[in-house]
Amino acid sequence: MALSDNKLNPNNLRIVLVLQGGGALGAYQAGVYQALHEHDLVPDWIVGTSIGAINAALIAGNPQANRLQQVKAFWDRVSHPDGLDMSYVTDEQRRSNIWLNTVDVVMRGVPGFFTPRLFSGFPIGMKVPPEDASFYDTTPLCETLKELVDFDYLNGPHGMRLTVNAVDVRSGELAHFDSLDGQLCADHVRASGSLPPAFAPVRIGEQLFWDGGLYSNTPLESVLAELPKGDTLCFMVDLWSAEGAAPETMDEVQTRQKDITYASRSRRHIDDYAASHALKHKLRELYGRLPEGARTDEDRRELEAMGVDSILHIVRLPYAGHDWHMAAKDVNFSKGSIEWRWDQGYRDALRALKHAGWLSHVAEDTAVVVHELPAD
């Protein structure tokens, strides 16, 4: 492996960025990306779901010089102006402002993202076409993506790989839309973020697709199922907390329910991957003990294809904002909140890069190492 001039990636590890769904919380992901961008840690592959798919498309669908600019353009467009300067008010005033801001988003939608279906019979139980079965219309998002994402570049030979996940409405199976196929478009990204009943399914060909978060909100398993040969550095951004205090109010109950529903199940996938790696390693060890006459070329090829000598470094970056335990925190597009989340993601990523745990020595038979965010 050729050495690199980048001190944070001297061995030219393949870089993967994994982005989960979380609506307005996705501004945190944008801040994380800014830190990676500034340190020239360019992802080779981005896997995203829902808002993670949107951020991923904005990054992968533009040349490196334009990526951060286009990500900022999107978040500026969907940010909802605040009625007062959030940095000069009390916490209680800030919370009241955000509550009013969120109510306005629910009533009027988000420019460039979604608008309410004002004359739809869907909310009162009437039958409507599947593509209209929702409270909001995401056609504006389609137009925004076409404006900010160069899909010809994305699907071309020079773009980074992008995978977005969605759920087939009829089969309930997870679908992986990949730029390697050369066919990704705005509708694939929009489908990945079509969470019902707020958003309707998106028709692609003959099939209808909903938000990939209904199946798995953190698409790490997509990476584990298709890891390339050689060591990999994976930045995984979590927007929901699996752990939390016992709720005592209605709002806290709803918030905790949403956190648990959409929190990452990555630990289970990581443990399964490590166990599989250990079995493959033991299989190769046992094969090595066989007499030479009992070994075949086909066995050797199959063992080499397992690729068990690689190490996966996972840098986990968790969003730590409590958002006053507001169940609608993922609909809080307040400009002040968006800016705070972006800044928090940027600062957290800088801490992770300063620590750079993946540069430490790791035993060769190690399958995966999870690097948690160091204490502030």
Side-chain angles (χ1 to χ4, degrees):
M1 180 181 293
L3 296 180
S4 165
D5 292 332
N6 191 331
K7 294 180 180 180
L8 290 173
N9 190 19
N11 294 318
N12 270 328
L13 302 186
R14 181 181 176 91
I15 298 176
V16 179
L17 181 59
V18 175
L19 304 174
Q20 69 173 199
L25 306 182
Y28 179 84
Q29 297 171 340
V32 169
Y33 171 70
Q34 179 182 351
L36 299 182
H37 179 86
E38 291 177 353
H39 288 79
D40 201 28
L41 292 172
V42 181
D44 298 284
W45 181 17
I46 308 183
V47 186
T49 295
S50 198
I51 195 65
I54 295 173
N55 278 328
L58 294 164
I59 297 167
N62 286 286
Q64 186 171 357
N66 300 337
R67 287 169 188 160
L68 189 58
Q69 171 186 326
Q70 298 299 72
V71 173
K72 286 183 176 179
F74 172 80
W75 285 101
D76 285 342
R77 184 170 303 187
V78 301
S79 295
H80 196 292
D82 292 304
L84 39 83
D85 190 332
M86 299 275 276
S87 59
Y88 292 100
V89 296
T90 65
D91 191 63
E92 189 60 37
Q93 289 173 316
R94 193 177 296 117
R95 179 176 182 176
S96 297
N97 173 73
I98 286 175
W99 185 86
L100 292 171
N101 198 312
T102 302
V103 169
D104 191 57
V105 166
V106 171
M107 298 299 294
R108 298 197 299 167
V110 174
F113 199 156
F114 58 88
T115 56
R117 299 184 187 275
L118 297 177
F119 304 106
S120 171
F122 175 76
I124 58 175
M126 294 178 62
K127 182 179 289 189
V128 297
E131 293 94 330
D132 298 335
S134 64
F135 299 124
Y136 301 95
D137 179 9
T138 58
T139 301
L141 174 61
C142 195
E143 297 306 314
T144 296
L145 289 170
K146 289 178 180 178
E147 178 185 341
L148 298 180
V149 177
D150 184 342
F151 284 97
D152 289 334
Y153 175 85
L154 174 62
N155 291 308
H158 303 298
M160 69 179 67
R161 182 182 178 185
L162 170 64
T163 304
V164 299
N165 293 339
V167 171
D168 188 311
V169 173
R170 292 189 176 92
S171 71
E173 293 298 319
L174 189 66
H176 309 277
F177 300 120
D178 202 299
S179 62
L180 290 183
D181 299 330
Q183 300 295 325
L184 272 187
C185 68
D187 279 342
H188 292 101
V189 180
R190 189 163 64 104
S192 182
S194 293
L195 185 65
F199 303 145
V202 175
R203 187 177 295 278
I204 298 176
E206 298 300 318
Q207 297 168 290
L208 292 165
F209 293 93
W210 268 332
D211 192 307
L214 292 173
Y215 188 99
S216 177
N217 198 40
T218 303
L220 180 65
E221 59 266 40
S222 299
V223 177
L224 297 178
E226 199 182 333
L227 272 177
K229 291 183 178 180
D231 295 348
T232 299
L233 176 58
C234 174
F235 293 93
M236 182 177 71
V237 187
D238 287 345
L239 300 178
W240 305 89
S241 177
E243 300 178 355
E248 297 176 333
T249 67
M250 175 65 77
D251 215 26
E252 289 178 359
V253 167
Q254 292 177 325
T255 303
R256 193 76 200 103
Q257 178 193 29
K258 191 175 280 189
D259 276 338
I260 292 173
T261 299
Y262 296 116
S264 172
R265 304 293 184 269
S266 57
R267 174 50 63 185
R268 183 187 64 203
H269 297 304
I270 292 169
D271 290 344
D272 290 344
Y273 174 78
S276 174
H277 181 281
L279 287 173
K280 292 175 183 178
H281 194 276
K282 178 58 68 175
L283 183 61
R284 292 182 68 170
E285 183 181 309
L286 292 174
Y287 178 78
R289 297 178 186 176
L290 291 175
E292 188 62 35
R295 306 176 190 177
T296 67
D297 290 339
E298 182 179 356
D299 290 337
R300 290 190 183 93
R301 287 192 294 270
E302 290 180 352
L303 287 172
E304 289 174 359
M306 290 180 180
V308 297
D309 292 330
S310 61
I311 299 173
L312 172 62
H313 293 272
I314 298 177
V315 182
R316 195 176 79 89
L317 293 154
Y319 171 65
H322 295 293
D323 296 87
W324 300 284
H325 301 289
M326 295 175 69
K329 58 185 176 180
D330 53 328
V331 194
N332 169 18
F333 284 87
S334 152
K335 186 173 182 60
S337 297
I338 294 298
E339 291 175 346
W340 184 90
R341 291 169 183 148
W342 183 304
D343 183 65
Q344 194 62 42
Y346 179 69
R347 291 173 180 272
D348 285 352
L350 289 181
R351 283 164 55 200
L353 297 180
K354 182 179 180 180
H355 182 64
W358 58 90
L359 298 178
S360 302
H361 174 73
V362 177
E364 291 185 1
D365 60 347
T366 302
V368 58
V369 183
V370 179
H371 305 277
E372 298 289 353
L373 192 64
D376 191 358

